[in-house]
Amino acid sequence: FCAILQLWFVLGGLAVASNPSADCGVGGIVLASVVGCGWLLSLGFSLALVSLMVYWGGMLVGFVYSVSLVADLF
């Protein structure tokens, strides 16, 4: 089970690194973070879900900041 999670984690990292489009990069980051969380949970790290939520919260703040910069007229 851990080997499958490691494979998906590497595939998510490759999706971010290859980055043919922004959507593929975002999908790779989400895939790698979810699989990384599952991997940590399978190893017994009990705060994996909390760290996933903190990470996604940081991504959301960056996304909102970027959207506000694009939407600004001046």
Side-chain angles (χ1 to χ4, degrees):
F1 182 70
C2 282
I4 294 171
L5 289 177
Q6 291 171 356
L7 176 70
W8 279 102
F9 186 76
V10 169
L11 289 176
L14 287 174
V16 174
S18 66
N19 202 8
S21 68
D23 297 334
C24 184
V26 169
I29 288 174
V30 169
L31 175 69
S33 65
V34 168
V35 171
C37 176
W39 188 11
L40 289 174
L41 281 174
S42 70
L43 295 175
F45 185 65
S46 60
L47 295 176
L49 290 175
V50 173
S51 62
L52 178 70
M53 291 298 130
V54 168
Y55 178 71
W56 277 0
M59 285 196 324
L60 180 64
V61 167
F63 176 73
V64 168
Y65 181 72
S66 299
V67 168
S68 68
L69 283 176
V70 170
D72 192 15
L73 296 176
F74 298 105

